[in-house]
Amino acid sequence: MIVKELTIPYNLLMDVALLRRLRPTHPKLAMIEEDLTRRKVGYRGEQNLLYHLGFLPPQNQKIFFGLRLPFEDKTFQIDTLILTPSFILIIEVKNYSGILLFEKHSDQLIRIYQNKEETFPNPIFQVQRHHILFDRFLKHYNIPNVPIEHIVIISHSTTQIKTASDNLHIYEKVLHSEKIISKMAELHQRHKQNKLKNHHLQKVSQLLLEQHKPEVPNSNEIFDIYKDEIIKGVCCPVCRAFKMVRKHGKWVCSRCHTSSKEVHKQAILDYLLLIEPSITNKSCQDFLDLSNPSLVHRLLSSMKLPSKGNDGGKKYLLPTPAYFQEQYGF
Ligand SMILES: [Zn+2]
């Protein structure tokens, strides 16, 4: 069963919002577009793994996507984790296209794609580091000793994975998404003894959900973009101009005359992704260029956002990625 669902990453949503709200000549647009493409490919790669995990026999296993666990002075991110009574599998998902060559002597990963050769950090080392940290994490929380395994999943089935003939153990650790079924069967064969009783499984599951620290989007940290570079106002869904004004209970574009009742929602979500992860009535008035607090109150409360505080001090908070998925249908 899936305990923690795969959701669209905040950073992908942030990129989409930034592309909408930076001036068309902003020097970072190309960089953000590239980042968005990379994140979309990454998200599709994880969706692809999710699809294949759907074919696993219904055994006693718990699946977690996108865990971010703070531990010691680090926060480590595990793309996918499968918890079973006899072992735990840590999966790192990579979305490389082309030919991947795992060099035996240098232990480097060389990618050959479109006649270009590039060297990447070896993802096996990355997942090994997560393995070590996760092992220490479990010991710290007094979880009984349970074997931990790690693999790297290459999400594109057309990507070639190559290595020298005396380095074939690489294929034990690096595999395509569709091989996850046979890999799980092999691991169940290797680890037959149940180390975690039902109440332990429950305890680990709860621990992971409690310790998970969701990523908060921060455009300044990632792209060095300041809040005053973000265009305020409501964006026209047709001509993309920030010329929507409130008239007779709806938004009307003063450039192309498109009208909409809902378009402020996107503006408020953009604020939560790009300016700060909470919004007050006052800051919403300023961002939407409205001066009527009771109208802004109605607009904000109709969105059913999570909130804290009451009356004048009420803050509406950045909703979960699942909320965005419903709004935008990603
Ligand atoms: Zn318009």
Side-chain angles (χ1 to χ4, degrees):
M1 82 183 267
I2 295 176
V3 180
K4 189 174 176 301
E5 301 272 351
L6 175 64
T7 52
I8 191 156
Y10 275 135
N11 285 330
L12 190 159
L13 296 165
M14 184 187 77
D15 285 353
V16 174
L18 274 176
L19 291 173
R20 182 164 41 238
R21 284 190 182 265
L22 290 177
R23 63 188 154 81
T25 53
H26 196 286
K28 302 239 165 94
L29 287 182
M31 187 203 275
I32 297 164
E33 261 170 46
E34 213 172 281
D35 189 71
L36 175 62
T37 306
R38 196 174 54 79
R39 291 187 191 278
K40 278 184 177 167
V41 169
Y43 183 49
R44 272 202 298 273
E46 297 199 60
Q47 284 176 315
N48 179 268
L49 174 62
L50 170 67
Y51 169 79
H52 289 290
L53 288 173
F55 292 93
L56 284 178
Q59 274 165 333
N60 196 3
Q61 61 208 354
K62 295 176 187 290
I63 303 174
F64 300 78
F65 286 99
L67 282 172
R68 289 182 81 246
L69 302 170
F71 183 60
E72 294 171 352
D73 55 345
K74 301 174 184 63
T75 297
F76 63 108
Q77 184 155 351
I78 296 179
D79 289 340
T80 308
L81 183 141
I82 304 179
L83 173 63
T84 79
S86 55
F87 68 92
I88 294 174
L89 176 63
I90 293 177
I91 304 175
E92 177 70 30
V93 183
K94 293 291 176 201
N95 308 289
Y96 302 121
S97 300
I99 300 169
L100 300 180
L101 184 61
F102 286 84
E103 273 282 350
K104 186 186 170 190
H105 297 291
S106 64
D107 263 329
Q108 282 178 314
L109 171 61
I110 296 162
R111 194 267 291 263
I112 303 147
Y113 184 54
Q114 293 175 338
N115 295 324
K116 238 174 55 191
E117 218 178 273
E118 277 174 282
T119 308
F120 288 100
N122 190 329
I124 300 177
F125 294 148
Q126 188 187 356
V127 73
Q128 270 172 356
R129 284 193 295 273
H130 293 165
H131 180 146
I132 294 166
L133 281 169
F134 191 66
D135 187 40
R136 296 218 294 259
F137 174 90
L138 291 183
K139 287 198 171 80
H140 177 80
Y141 289 101
N142 297 320
I143 306 297
N145 226 356
V146 55
I148 301 175
E149 296 277 356
H150 62 260
I151 54 169
V152 175
I153 287 280
I154 303 296
S155 64
H156 301 313
S157 56
T158 51
T159 301
Q160 283 187 52
I161 307 167
K162 289 188 167 180
T163 193
S165 58
D166 56 349
N167 199 34
L168 299 179
H169 66 95
I170 288 292
Y171 295 111
E172 295 285 306
K173 294 290 180 205
V174 185
L175 41 138
H176 289 116
S177 298
E178 55 258 49
K179 285 190 87 177
I180 188 69
I181 315 290
S182 54
K183 189 68 185 180
M184 282 298 283
E186 177 197 319
L187 293 174
H188 277 293
Q189 275 302 314
R190 194 183 306 161
H191 305 290
K192 284 188 171 159
Q193 197 191 346
N194 283 359
K195 300 275 187 179
L196 298 172
K197 299 199 169 70
N198 266 339
H199 71 275
H200 288 134
L201 284 175
Q202 210 49 45
K203 186 180 166 187
V204 179
S205 189
Q206 218 173 332
L207 175 71
L208 294 178
L209 294 177
E210 276 167 15
Q211 292 296 312
H212 168 68
K213 192 176 155 210
E215 193 159 28
V216 180
N218 186 332
S219 58
N220 180 254
E221 217 168 74
I222 298 180
F223 297 113
D224 205 15
I225 285 171
Y226 291 90
K227 289 174 189 175
D228 58 8
E229 295 177 81
I230 309 290
I231 301 171
K232 292 179 183 177
V234 179
C235 181
C236 171
V238 174
C239 76
R240 319 302 294 167
F242 286 84
K243 301 257 184 212
M244 299 295 273
V245 286
R246 190 81 186 167
K247 270 185 198 160
H248 313 299
K250 55 187 180 185
W251 297 93
V252 181
C253 178
S254 54
R255 188 199 267 175
C256 75
H257 309 294
T258 296
S259 70
S260 159
K261 281 195 162 181
E262 301 279 301
V263 79
H264 58 276
K265 291 183 178 173
Q266 186 182 65
I268 291 167
L269 293 173
D270 284 355
Y271 180 100
L272 293 168
L273 285 166
L274 302 178
I275 309 287
E276 59 176 312
S278 69
I279 189 167
T280 61
N281 190 305
K282 189 94 197 64
S283 43
C284 189
Q285 288 176 48
D286 175 56
F287 197 68
L288 303 185
D289 195 22
L290 294 172
S291 52
N292 180 347
S294 54
L295 165 65
V296 171
H297 175 78
R298 273 206 316 279
L299 297 181
L300 278 169
S301 33
S302 74
M303 288 176 70
K304 307 212 172 352
L305 294 166
S307 64
K308 65 178 181 193
N310 282 314
D311 304 325
K314 187 159 182 171
K315 284 184 171 184
Y316 299 84
L317 309 175
L318 178 70
T320 60
Y323 180 100
F324 285 85
Q325 270 161 306
E326 282 163 29
Q327 288 285 321
Y328 294 122
F330 273 102

